[in-house]
Amino acid sequence: MSKTRTSCKLKPKDLSKSVPKSWISFRTTKNLNPHWGTIGQERAMDAIEVGLALETRGFNIFASGEAGSGKTSTIIKLLNEKAKDHSSPPDLCYVSNFKHPERPLPIFVPAGVGQRLKEDVKQAILELKKLVPRALSEGTFGHIKAGILTNARQKAMEATKKASAAAEKLGLKLQEDQDGLRVVPIVDGEPLNQETFESLSGEKRREIEEKMLSFQKHLDAHAYQNRQMEREHVESLLKAEVRAVTPAVEGMIQDLIKSYGKHGEKIKNYFEEMKKHILANHRSFVRAEEDQEEIGEDCLSDGLEIYGVNLVCDRTDQKGAPVIVEKVPSPANLCGCVEYLPANGGLTTDHTMIRAGALHQANGGYLLLQVGDLLNHENSWPALKRALRHKELRVEEAISLGDSQRRIAGTMKPEPVEIDVKVILVGSEAVYYAMKLQDEDFSRLFKIKAEFEPSMPTTKEHVNLLAAFLGQVCRAESYLPIHRSGFMKMIEVANRRVGSQERMTTHQAELLDLVAEADYFAKKDNARAIRKKDVERALREIKYRHGAVADSVQRGINEGTIIIETKGEAIGQINGIALYDLAGVSFGIPVRITSRVYAGKRGVVNIDREVNLSGAIHDKGSLILVGYLGGRFAHSQTLGLSASVTFEQSYDEIDGDSASSAELYALLSALSGYPIKQGIAVTGSVNQLGEVQPIGGVKIG
């Protein structure tokens, strides 16, 4: 036997509830103390506190909850507060790797030092542009250079004399012209020209040719010796130049080491390698000095950019740890990129074209990402995983060649950067569980879940915190303050949004939108505060703007194109309530549900289900209905029944099980012949025991 339940007739006032007036101690929100924190999200805030406190690898945070619940703004405020307690992380610079130019080196220096380092290195190189040419043009070096040149000429003359003597022994003579040395035969003490040579006898010509061929080895030896002497001359000159410029170069580098060497061995080693490279390529400074007029005195000319410092993360004005919110988390924006420039029909790059990503900027602090944006960019999630898993960041190459196959010169693979960053992903509950199930790395990297709940208890504390929050928003946005009556109406709205008299929504964005519209109408009436009637008018306007569908249905009922009976009685016919939710505005409309029974053993057929116009939850309700009938009427024998149930004039897909009780009443009426009053509309689901379960969405206004 099922339990007997007493019926309860609800009055309109029972469908809404106001908080006690004693809870609202203010007349308006004008002078309330500000509150920017969360309200009713203790569980989420505790989780975030734990996640931020734990520095162990993998304790990053996933903040889940409905859109508009204030997750992002709340977390950003909390992170900014936390960041104040931490020191600023170091500046990050990329410098040239002189041994392996394709792998630029990252260098960390204390916050604010990077800008000085960049400028000091630049000024040192610009100074060397003046000092190196000056050192190579001063009188002292001029004498050294002249001596080297004189010595080279003497050696060349001696070699030529030696070759000439060998030629004379063979009856030949060396002559020098613009193309170098050439051999001329001598006959009777005079050089032999071509015409005379051809007039000689064959035997005489062969004799001369043999002498010339015999001398060729001397000529080759002379050419080789000249090349050797030229090489020695160049090497001697280079060594002399290096000796001449070394004091200036060493002085500059020692000044830099003295200023910045205290920041680590890596930077000292960098300056030592820079010194070696400058001395090995000192002539670049001579060319740079010659080009200075065209490029300007404050620029590093072509060939000297290699010495520049690329400051990719400048923390000069930063106080505390960084808090970065990346709104477009593409791989390049997350991990940084190497840019390219067109050059000579191809593409070129160097360490000065490395650009920082959000992970660089957030290193030593916090990075907040919307998970939907992250997953919308191909390879962004794998790139983020790699960085968090290995605690190092590799700069991605950002280049789009399109359909052209252009040559790329100087492909860069910067050395990775060690990172220590706390990542907070913000997304929905569904995305959280989807990632948890589909990616095994997700659970290892995001061990803290901070769940922002859609509702909170309607307590005095929460009500007053909400008042303080809305009051602060009104002051910040130059709205009128909210009057007590207007605020109580907003609490009622907050209750209705979650369909509970004991809980209210945490969806702050929706309440803030309502405040903005109510403020407009209050100012239009020249009011001093946002009153109850202003809030009610805003609600009516919202309902009106989204009411085209509801009005269309109502017109159909009034005109008779949608058949709904509201008077009299009928067998196998009942009015159900269909709930529509369009852009956050919900409304109910009546819909006729009919049932027909006839002889047979086909059972209960739900026509909407048969033609695939019903969703899974509606199908579940229909099968539960069949289960109830079988359990109620077919204990001892088979239920011989053929019946059909349908939503009349419904041509769109329907879902939900809240019509199952109405379908059951229509079916029982058709079986028993007992009529149903048509002035009653029914909603609610039924279980297999015949119990009508709690309903939602019922409210007045």
Side-chain angles (χ1 to χ4, degrees):
M1 295 292 291
S2 61
K3 295 181 180 179
T4 304
R5 298 179 181 272
T6 57
S7 62
C8 178
K9 188 172 184 178
L10 298 176
K11 298 178 181 179
K13 67 177 183 178
D14 296 327
L15 298 180
S16 62
K17 180 181 178 180
S18 298
V19 299
K21 291 184 178 180
S22 61
W23 288 10
I24 314 298
S25 58
F26 58 87
R27 186 172 181 274
T28 72
T29 59
K30 183 177 182 179
N31 297 318
L32 293 179
N33 293 327
H35 177 76
W36 282 118
T38 58
I39 306 171
Q41 299 290 3
E42 291 80 8
R43 191 196 313 270
M45 299 310 294
D46 288 345
I48 293 174
E49 286 285 347
V50 172
L52 296 181
L54 288 172
E55 298 181 359
T56 308
R57 187 198 302 261
F59 279 87
N60 297 293
I61 301 168
F62 190 106
S64 67
E66 295 180 357
S69 59
K71 302 185 299 297
T72 301
S73 58
T74 296
I75 294 172
I76 291 174
K77 290 185 182 75
L78 180 59
L79 294 180
N80 285 327
E81 288 298 318
K82 289 285 184 184
K84 294 177 183 178
D85 299 332
H86 299 277
S87 59
S88 296
D91 292 343
L92 173 61
C93 305
Y94 268 100
V95 296
S96 181
N97 184 338
F98 298 109
K99 292 182 178 178
H100 303 284
E102 77 284 358
R103 299 187 67 82
L105 300 172
I107 289 180
F108 287 102
V109 292
V113 174
Q115 191 62 49
R116 296 204 310 272
L117 172 65
K118 178 180 180 180
E119 190 60 29
D120 286 351
V121 170
K122 176 182 174 183
Q123 291 305 319
I125 299 302
L126 291 175
E127 189 66 20
L128 287 174
K129 279 174 63 178
K130 301 174 183 177
L131 294 178
V132 170
R134 189 182 303 165
L136 298 180
S137 62
E138 289 179 344
T140 303
F141 180 75
H143 293 307
I144 296 173
K145 184 177 180 181
I148 295 173
L149 183 58
T150 300
N151 185 48
R153 285 175 179 170
Q154 288 176 348
K155 287 183 178 180
M157 290 173 63
E158 289 174 2
T160 302
K161 285 181 181 180
K162 191 175 181 180
S164 294
E168 288 176 4
K169 289 180 181 180
L170 294 173
L172 303 173
K173 183 177 182 180
L174 283 182
Q175 289 185 344
E176 190 171 359
D177 58 19
Q178 60 182 8
D179 295 326
L181 295 176
R182 67 188 183 93
V183 183
V184 179
I186 302 295
V187 176
D188 298 330
E190 294 294 330
L192 191 66
N193 58 34
Q194 186 65 30
E195 184 179 350
T196 306
F197 177 78
E198 290 178 355
S199 66
L200 296 175
S201 64
E203 183 179 352
K204 189 65 174 177
R205 285 201 304 269
R206 284 193 295 274
E207 181 183 348
I208 293 173
E209 287 173 352
E210 286 175 1
K211 290 180 180 180
M212 294 180 69
L213 288 174
S214 175
F215 181 72
Q216 184 62 43
K217 61 181 180 180
H218 296 285
L219 198 60
D220 291 341
H222 178 267
Y224 175 76
Q225 190 175 8
N226 274 347
R227 288 196 299 271
Q228 287 291 96
M229 287 188 295
E230 181 66 25
R231 190 177 299 115
E232 290 172 2
H233 167 251
V234 171
E235 290 178 357
S236 298
L237 189 58
L238 279 174
K239 289 178 180 178
E241 289 177 357
V242 169
R243 287 195 299 272
V245 302
T246 294
V249 175
E250 285 188 340
M252 285 294 176
I253 297 300
Q254 284 305 314
D255 287 345
L256 291 173
I257 291 176
K258 184 177 179 181
S259 298
Y260 299 100
K262 59 188 175 184
H263 300 310
E265 287 297 318
K266 193 170 184 179
I267 195 167
K268 289 171 66 176
N269 293 337
Y270 165 66
F271 285 134
E272 291 293 344
E273 292 298 324
M274 179 192 286
K275 180 179 71 174
K276 294 177 185 177
H277 193 275
I278 291 174
L279 292 175
N281 298 273
H282 64 276
R283 288 185 175 174
S284 298
F285 289 81
V286 178
R287 291 193 297 272
E289 177 67 11
E290 293 169 354
D291 296 338
Q292 186 166 296
E293 260 185 47
E294 297 179 15
I295 63 171
E297 293 188 0
D298 292 333
C299 298
L300 297 183
S301 60
D302 186 25
L304 300 186
E305 299 91 341
I306 191 172
Y307 305 112
V309 174
N310 181 10
L311 178 58
V312 296
C313 287
D314 185 4
R315 318 280 188 184
T316 301
D317 299 321
Q318 187 169 299
K319 305 297 181 184
V323 177
I324 304 299
V325 180
E326 179 53 60
K327 297 179 180 178
V328 186
S330 64
N333 287 349
L334 270 181
C335 301
C337 65
V338 180
E339 295 179 343
Y340 288 80
L341 291 175
N344 301 321
L347 297 170
T348 186
T349 188
D350 58 40
H351 73 282
T352 63
M353 285 186 272
I354 298 173
R355 301 293 176 255
L359 283 166
H360 289 102
Q361 300 289 351
N363 196 9
Y366 310 98
L367 174 62
L368 186 141
L369 302 168
Q370 297 291 334
V371 71
D373 296 334
L374 181 71
L375 298 178
N376 282 337
H377 288 86
E378 186 178 2
N379 295 326
S380 288
W381 169 239
L384 178 63
K385 285 196 303 181
R386 283 195 301 271
L388 295 179
R389 188 166 59 241
H390 301 298
K391 300 199 76 171
E392 69 175 25
L393 182 56
R394 295 180 180 273
V395 174
E396 301 286 338
E397 287 191 330
I399 180 170
S400 178
L401 293 178
D403 296 328
S404 63
Q405 297 296 320
R406 290 189 286 177
R407 177 174 54 84
I408 303 176
T411 302
M412 305 292 286
K413 293 183 179 179
E415 290 288 339
V417 176
E418 291 185 4
I419 60 168
D420 180 16
V421 60
K422 185 74 70 173
V423 177
I424 300 93
L425 293 182
V426 179
S428 67
E429 196 83 0
V431 172
Y432 172 82
Y433 285 110
M435 295 182 74
K436 192 176 179 69
L437 289 172
Q438 296 174 16
D439 193 328
E440 61 182 13
D441 292 326
F442 177 77
S443 295
R444 291 201 291 264
L445 296 174
F446 290 86
K447 297 181 180 181
I448 299 294
K449 180 191 178 191
E451 183 176 348
F452 282 74
E453 300 182 55
S455 66
M456 59 184 168
T458 307
T459 63
K460 183 178 180 179
E461 179 187 5
H462 289 162
V463 166
N464 281 279
L465 287 175
L466 181 60
F469 171 72
L470 294 178
Q472 179 63 20
V473 171
C474 289
R475 288 191 288 274
E477 300 293 336
S478 300
Y479 298 155
L480 295 173
I482 305 173
H483 189 270
R484 178 193 307 165
S485 63
F487 179 68
M488 292 186 72
K489 182 63 181 178
M490 287 184 181
I491 293 297
E492 182 182 329
V493 172
N495 291 145
R496 291 187 177 187
R497 289 293 182 264
V498 296
S500 171
Q501 295 182 357
E502 308 302 328
R503 299 184 69 83
M504 57 184 181
T505 184
T506 57
H507 199 284
Q508 297 176 353
E510 193 171 352
L511 294 179
L512 294 179
D513 292 343
L514 181 59
V515 171
E517 293 204 39
D519 172 75
Y520 167 76
F521 293 116
K523 287 178 178 176
K524 196 173 182 180
D525 285 350
N526 296 318
R528 296 181 180 178
I530 299 172
R531 305 154 296 180
K532 178 180 179 180
K533 70 176 187 178
D534 300 318
V535 178
E536 289 176 337
R537 184 174 179 184
L539 290 170
R540 288 196 301 272
E541 289 294 326
I542 294 171
K543 184 177 180 180
Y544 174 75
R545 289 197 298 270
H546 296 85
V549 175
D551 290 347
S552 175
V553 172
Q554 187 61 53
R555 282 197 304 273
I557 293 173
N558 295 339
E559 295 168 0
T561 55
I562 298 177
I563 303 173
I564 295 292
E565 296 292 341
T566 58
K567 296 180 180 179
E569 298 178 340
I571 296 173
Q573 177 177 301
I574 194 169
N575 290 323
I577 299 176
L579 183 66
Y580 282 71
D581 192 342
L582 302 175
V585 177
S586 60
F587 56 90
I589 62 171
V591 58
R592 175 181 284 187
I593 300 172
T594 61
S595 176
R596 299 297 297 245
V597 296
Y598 44 91
K601 297 183 179 181
R602 191 177 179 188
V604 178
V605 175
N606 187 304
I607 294 175
D608 300 287
R609 179 188 176 197
E610 292 296 314
V611 296
N612 297 320
L613 277 179
S614 61
I617 299 177
H618 182 268
D619 293 344
K620 178 184 177 182
S622 298
L623 295 174
I624 288 174
L625 185 152
V626 173
Y628 165 74
L629 290 175
R632 181 71 176 83
F633 299 111
H635 275 292
S636 56
Q637 58 184 3
T638 302
L639 185 64
L641 169 69
S642 288
S644 63
V645 180
T646 189
F647 280 62
E648 301 290 356
Q649 293 185 287
S650 174
Y651 308 106
D652 297 321
E653 183 175 318
I654 56 176
D655 204 359
D657 60 351
S658 59
S660 57
S661 63
E663 291 175 329
L664 176 60
Y665 301 151
L667 184 58
L668 292 175
S669 171
L671 284 170
S672 64
Y674 192 86
I676 298 173
K677 294 180 180 180
Q678 298 300 290
I680 299 174
V682 177
T683 187
S685 61
V686 65
N687 61 26
Q688 290 194 110
L689 302 177
E691 298 173 329
V692 177
Q693 300 172 132
I695 64 172
V698 178
K699 48 196 173 186
I700 298 297

